[in-house]
Amino acid sequence: MSWSLFLLFLWSLCSSCLSIHAETAESHSTFTCEPIGLRMCQDLPYNTTFMPNLLNHYDQQTAALAMEPFHPMVNLQCSEDLRMFLCALYAPVCMEYGRVSMPCRALCHRAKRDCHKLMEMFGVTWPDEIECSRFPDCDEPYPRAVDLQTSVDPTDISPMSVQRDYGFWCPRELKMEPDLGYSFLGTRDCSAPCPNMYFQRPELTFARYFIGVVSIVCLSATLFTFLTFLIDVTRFRYPERPIIFYAVCYMMVSLVFFLGFLLEDRVACNAANPAQYRAATVTQGSHNKVCSLFFMVLYFFTMAGSVWWVILTITWFLAAVPKWGSEAIEKKALLFHTCAWGLPGCLTVALLALNKIEGDGVSGVCFVGLYDVTALRWFLLAPLCLNVAVGVSLLLVGIVALNRVRMEIPLEKENQDKLVKFMIRIGVFSVLYLVPLLTVISCYLYEHSNRAVWETTWVQERCRDYHIPCPYQVEQTSHPDLTLFLIKYMMMLVVGIPSVFWVGSKKTCYEWASFLKGRRRKDGVNESRQVLQEPDFAQSLLRDHHTPIIRKSRGTSTQGTSTHASSTHLAILEDKAGSVHSKTSYHGSLHRSRDGRYTPCSYRGGEERTIPPHSSMPHLDHPLSTHSSLHRLESQSRHNSQRDLSVASPTLITHGTSSGRVANDDDNGASA
């Protein structure tokens, strides 16, 4: 008996599989009465049904799969009511629109009671969705007489249009495991088709090679900027130091896009599984470790690069408006790094916690906001727009301040030209950054406003292929343009290229030539750098009209209003120190260069005046420093010549409020 039951079960299983693939009705594009194609429900008092059925199966093929576990019980005829009860749920009688006939609770109880033991033998459980308590409390046969009177013949009815919106039903090919947290078009446990739901394979191939070429160009430019900084790390100080970190961020962004080009869709897509009737789908969430790594690097450095540009505008603002010097700005470096790396890090962790990672079948990377409009709005558009607003505001205020300096303070024509060139340099760099970034934001806004139309169009075109309900009353259809996506990806990468224009100069060429020849710069260049670090010219440009100019000699810092006290103090030290002081002054007049040799420099006094931290502008590679450098070189040359004439008495360099002058030894003696 047991062997016969087992063989009968195998035969029932095979027949049910054949009925699923061979005898199911075709998919419905409009919700009309359709002929019953399920083998189990043939030869009933009615021959038409409608979909979706009472259990929300959107076509008869899906209903046949759900009925599969009950085939052995129906074939063994454990209950005369089981077959009719199942057909009443999976293939209900088709009635006029708005009327649904449900089986009675007594019919459910009889079917469950009669087949309970046999279901336990085959390991089949009674599904929760067909629990008897869900049905009306009655005891009438199915279908009722009134149901048969209002039923219609499918041959006598014309196709009706869709009467209501059933929403998006996830196709079987796109279904995912429930514990992965996937979501697509508002439906859980569903994922978008891969590599892309909008474009064909040839278009995607062209786009991928295009993104690969642009990523190589951006990677080369940003890497050149970073290596130029490594050759001489003291060259780029604040306020221009953020350009280096900005270049590093977009170097990592271009590196991720280049890796996506190499890996194609192996990271962004889940492989197809024909055995489970699953197509290739877009990767979501953090279960794919490589995809999660790509997302973290790409999103983190994209946001960090935007924040570093804001910090760059802040440093320019501090240098131009309150006239902070390089040292004062550099004291805020810890705060700058905390904001630049901390804020993007918090956003990245939040997206990982919310499971918002999505694979990009076009570029081969993983990012955010590709299918989730909410994530696009709050984690991409909002931060980028905020950074642009703050950065542009500070930039305009700084440029206005520099222009006011140029107009109000009388300068020589040469210095006027240098200031104008510096302002032009800042403006060109900002335009080269803002134009690509604003283009990217515009593309995101266009996607945000048209995403719903694109998705509805896709569902309408593929609903018959996927056997899902078609959209209701589609008023507008539209397809995305591949050019839009290519512009977006190109501008995401091009935004990092302006950094190479800032470091590009004759000095950069000289440093690279020296580095490639394996030698460092000579003493004259090192000496010139120290002279270039004198911020007198920048200070004279940006000082207040009523504030005296504060100058620094090379080793001694004095204020230009009075030198009487300093001269008296030096004379007393000279009387007390004697010959020891003369030796000290000799060694103090030598400056040690990098290669160990000593060069003459100005006398270093025993007490230096402290210069306020907000009294000078940054100096490295700054066009405002050139005039000051020439002035200091000339002053140093005169000073060294006078010291050679009289070594015994130290020389003190003083500066008046209007012009610098060299105080002779007789004047110092008189002051003492």
Side-chain angles (χ1 to χ4, degrees):
M1 179 64 181
S2 60
W3 279 103
S4 61
L5 289 175
F6 179 73
L7 292 177
L8 184 59
F9 172 73
L10 291 180
W11 175 82
S12 302
L13 186 61
C14 294
S15 62
S16 64
C17 293
L18 291 176
S19 64
I20 292 174
H21 297 286
E23 300 183 10
T24 56
E26 296 182 357
S27 62
H28 54 277
S29 58
T30 58
F31 291 89
T32 63
C33 293
E34 55 187 66
I36 297 178
L38 302 177
R39 170 176 292 186
M40 184 186 297
C41 299
Q42 298 296 320
D43 301 328
L44 294 177
Y46 62 94
N47 58 0
T48 60
T49 185
F50 65 92
M51 292 289 163
N53 57 22
L54 300 180
L55 300 179
N56 282 334
H57 299 127
Y58 45 80
D59 62 2
Q60 296 191 47
Q61 181 180 4
T62 308
L65 292 174
M67 295 178 69
E68 182 178 344
F70 294 98
H71 275 271
M73 277 65 71
V74 172
N75 292 328
L76 292 176
Q77 298 180 356
C78 60
S79 173
E80 59 181 9
D81 296 319
L82 178 61
R83 176 170 171 264
M84 180 57 67
F85 173 72
L86 294 175
C87 291
L89 298 176
Y90 291 94
V93 59
C94 186
M95 304 170 62
E96 61 183 7
Y97 178 76
R99 292 188 57 189
V100 176
S101 177
M102 299 184 65
C104 291
R105 187 179 303 176
L107 182 66
C108 175
H109 280 302
R110 289 195 298 268
K112 183 178 180 180
R113 183 191 61 225
D114 296 341
C115 298
H116 178 68
K117 295 183 179 179
L118 191 60
M119 291 176 63
E120 289 183 350
M121 182 182 301
F122 286 103
V124 179
T125 58
W126 194 265
D128 294 335
E129 59 266 20
I130 62 174
E131 187 62 35
C132 297
S133 58
R134 296 175 177 266
F135 305 110
D137 188 8
C138 60
D139 189 6
E140 297 178 1
Y142 189 90
R144 302 173 182 84
V146 63
D147 299 338
L148 296 177
Q149 291 177 0
T150 56
S151 63
V152 293
D153 190 352
T155 59
D156 299 335
I157 187 172
S158 58
M160 296 183 298
S161 60
V162 180
Q163 298 297 324
R164 62 186 177 93
D165 188 7
Y166 288 86
F168 176 73
W169 294 46
C170 184
R172 180 186 182 187
E173 294 85 349
L174 305 181
K175 282 282 187 178
M176 302 300 298
E177 288 78 5
D179 56 341
L180 296 180
Y182 277 58
S183 178
F184 177 53
L185 299 183
T187 304
R188 297 181 58 85
D189 305 329
C190 190
S191 181
C194 206
N196 192 268
M197 57 188 290
Y198 301 124
F199 306 114
Q200 302 298 323
R201 178 66 68 174
E203 295 176 319
L204 295 175
T205 302
F206 172 78
R208 186 156 297 165
Y209 277 96
F210 177 82
I211 296 172
V213 171
V214 177
S215 64
I216 293 174
V217 175
C218 180
L219 181 61
S220 303
T222 52
L223 183 61
F224 173 79
T225 303
F226 182 57
L227 293 179
T228 302
F229 168 74
L230 292 180
I231 290 177
D232 187 2
V233 295
T234 61
R235 176 181 170 187
F236 300 97
R237 297 178 64 189
Y238 286 95
E240 57 188 357
R241 176 67 63 85
I243 295 178
I244 304 302
F245 303 114
Y246 158 87
V248 171
C249 292
Y250 284 99
M251 179 180 68
M252 299 302 298
V253 170
S254 57
L255 178 61
V256 173
F257 274 106
F258 179 68
L259 293 177
F261 162 72
L262 296 179
L263 296 175
E264 295 181 344
D265 55 3
R266 287 191 287 270
V267 175
C269 298
N270 298 313
N273 189 352
Q276 298 181 0
Y277 303 100
R278 288 183 179 175
T281 55
V282 171
T283 301
Q284 294 185 27
S286 57
H287 68 94
N288 189 325
K289 304 306 179 184
V290 180
C291 181
S292 301
L293 180 62
F294 274 21
F295 158 76
M296 288 189 294
V297 175
L298 182 58
Y299 182 79
F300 175 80
F301 283 104
T302 299
M303 293 293 107
S306 180
V307 175
W308 272 118
W309 182 78
V310 175
I311 294 176
L312 178 63
T313 61
I314 293 175
T315 57
W316 278 343
F317 173 82
L318 294 176
V321 180
K323 305 176 181 60
W324 283 26
S326 177
E327 295 82 3
I329 299 176
E330 194 167 0
K331 290 181 180 179
K332 305 296 182 181
L334 180 60
L335 178 61
F336 294 155
H337 282 275
T338 302
C339 296
W341 306 121
L343 295 178
C346 294
L347 291 175
T348 304
V349 172
L351 287 172
L352 287 172
L354 295 174
N355 213 29
K356 296 295 184 179
I357 305 174
E358 296 170 341
D360 185 2
V362 179
S363 62
V365 301
C366 293
F367 204 52
V368 63
L370 301 171
Y371 299 94
D372 191 338
V373 179
T374 303
L376 172 64
R377 183 186 306 120
W378 296 109
F379 289 93
L380 277 179
L381 286 175
L384 292 178
C385 292
L386 178 63
N387 291 340
V388 169
V390 174
V392 171
S393 301
L394 295 174
L395 181 66
L396 293 178
V397 173
I399 292 179
V400 170
L402 289 178
N403 186 64
R404 187 178 60 212
V405 168
R406 183 181 66 87
M407 299 297 293
E408 296 180 358
I409 300 180
L411 298 173
E412 299 177 359
K413 186 178 185 306
E414 179 184 359
N415 299 329
Q416 286 273 8
D417 295 339
K418 291 176 181 177
L419 181 58
V420 171
K421 290 180 180 179
F422 178 64
M423 294 172 60
I424 294 176
R425 193 181 182 192
I426 294 177
V428 170
F429 177 82
S430 302
V431 169
L432 291 177
Y433 173 82
L434 286 174
V435 169
L437 182 60
L438 291 176
T439 304
V440 172
I441 294 176
S442 301
C443 292
Y444 282 138
L445 290 173
Y446 184 76
E447 288 186 41
H448 182 272
S449 59
N450 291 275
R451 182 74 61 82
V453 178
W454 296 344
E455 292 171 348
T456 303
T457 303
W458 176 81
V459 174
Q460 185 182 33
E461 293 177 350
R462 301 300 303 274
C463 61
R464 293 171 178 83
D465 299 333
Y466 283 127
H467 305 284
I468 59 177
C470 293
Y472 172 67
Q473 292 183 352
V474 178
E475 299 178 355
Q476 181 182 2
T477 59
S478 175
H479 295 85
D481 190 359
L482 181 63
T483 306
L484 172 71
F485 286 82
L486 294 181
I487 293 176
K488 181 185 72 172
Y489 290 116
M490 182 179 68
M491 293 303 172
M492 289 179 64
L493 295 167
V494 168
V495 74
I497 296 180
S499 61
V500 77
F501 294 102
W502 187 268
V503 302
S505 63
K506 293 181 179 179
K507 182 180 290 187
T508 300
C509 298
Y510 179 81
E511 288 184 346
W512 273 98
S514 300
F515 175 77
L516 295 177
K517 291 180 180 179
R519 60 184 177 87
R520 300 295 296 171
R521 293 185 297 176
K522 296 183 179 180
D523 299 340
V525 180
N526 292 330
E527 187 73 13
S528 299
R529 171 179 297 164
Q530 296 174 8
V531 176
L532 286 174
Q533 291 178 358
E534 300 299 329
D536 296 0
F537 179 67
Q539 178 184 341
S540 66
L541 287 177
L542 302 180
R543 71 181 180 87
D544 190 13
H545 298 290
H546 304 289
T547 304
I549 301 177
I550 301 175
R551 297 181 179 269
K552 277 198 305 185
S553 65
R554 298 180 53 196
T556 302
S557 179
T558 61
Q559 193 168 5
T561 56
S562 175
T563 60
H564 179 77
S566 300
S567 302
T568 304
H569 179 68
L570 289 175
I572 294 173
L573 290 178
E574 183 179 3
D575 294 339
K576 291 183 179 181
S579 60
V580 177
H581 179 75
S582 64
K583 293 181 182 181
T584 305
S585 64
Y586 173 74
H587 290 290
S589 64
L590 297 180
H591 172 70
R592 185 175 182 177
S593 60
R594 291 188 177 181
D595 56 359
R597 292 186 292 178
Y598 287 86
T599 59
C601 67
S602 62
Y603 173 73
R604 190 175 186 85
E607 177 178 308
E608 294 184 0
R609 299 288 300 273
T610 303
I611 296 180
H614 309 294
S615 63
S616 61
M617 279 286 289
H619 46 266
L620 280 175
D621 294 339
H622 204 291
L624 302 181
S625 304
T626 308
H627 181 271
S628 176
S629 304
L630 297 176
H631 174 72
R632 302 304 303 154
L633 283 173
E634 182 180 358
S635 176
Q636 178 192 352
S637 177
R638 294 199 307 267
H639 170 67
N640 290 338
S641 300
Q642 293 178 5
R643 187 179 53 201
D644 292 339
L645 295 177
S646 178
V647 181
S649 59
T651 303
L652 179 63
I653 300 177
T654 62
H655 303 272
T657 57
S658 61
S659 63
R661 67 178 182 268
V662 180
N664 54 30
D665 296 339
D666 296 337
D667 294 337
N668 287 336
S671 300

